Amino acid sequence: MAGILLVTHNGLGDSLLDCVRHVLGDVPPHVKSLSVLASDDPQQKEAEGSALISQLNGGDGVLVLSDIYGATPSNIARRLCLQPNVRGVAGVNLPMLLRVACCKGKTLEDMVQRAIEGGRECIVDMNSDMEGFNATAGCSDH
């Protein structure tokens, strides 16, 4: 199973993993996060990311997910993607992460496609889908 590394601003990845824990009951062991603060040295963070990739890569590769394409975390992620069998997708969101965190038996390339599809397909104009909507459903756990 391919590993998953989140490379994000200011603990966003840790927050997303907290949400994964809420939804799935736990964070799969093949998923880790690397938080990048404004005060961090990008080269040091790249080295930390490289060490995490070594931990996560059990032979099937690592999918790196970052938040804003072109920002420092995604630039670090892009450099990490220069390693063999490491792929990257920018624009991480919770649906994207849940889709790939639950992947079993998928190739790294399949995970890249699932991540992109999960991110895109879960962006919905909620007002266009109101028929049969129950305003009280799903609100009991908050």
Side-chain angles (χ1 to χ4, degrees):
M1 177 179 301
I4 300 169
L5 176 63
L6 304 173
V7 182
T8 63
H9 286 90
N10 267 8
L12 173 63
D14 293 332
S15 295
L16 287 170
L17 293 182
D18 286 342
C19 293
V20 167
R21 187 174 295 108
H22 172 81
V23 173
L24 300 179
D26 202 358
V27 176
H30 66 287
V31 184
K32 304 276 184 203
S33 174
L34 176 68
S35 180
V36 180
L37 304 175
S39 59
D40 285 334
D41 175 0
Q43 289 181 331
Q44 182 179 353
K45 283 297 176 178
E46 183 180 343
E48 291 175 31
S50 189
L52 287 169
I53 284 174
S54 293
Q55 291 176 18
L56 290 167
N57 193 352
D60 295 324
V62 175
L63 174 62
V64 178
L65 302 175
S66 69
D67 46 18
I68 303 170
Y69 184 72
T72 300
S74 77
N75 290 335
I76 293 168
R78 288 179 76 193
R79 285 193 293 276
L80 294 171
C81 289
L82 294 173
Q83 298 181 31
N85 216 16
V86 176
R87 296 286 313 269
V89 174
V92 67
N93 58 34
L94 186 56
M96 174 189 293
L97 179 56
L98 287 170
R99 288 254 179 123
V100 294
C102 296
C103 278
K104 290 186 178 173
K106 301 289 184 187
T107 66
L108 184 58
E109 188 59 35
D110 289 338
M111 290 177 67
V112 168
Q113 293 310 311
R114 285 181 65 94
I116 292 170
E117 290 168 7
R120 287 185 180 152
E121 291 173 1
C122 292
I123 297 172
V124 176
D125 175 359
M126 292 190 291
N127 289 68
S128 70
D129 190 25
M130 297 299 276
E131 187 175 332
F133 175 66
N134 179 350
T136 60
C139 295
S140 60
D141 63 344
H142 296 287

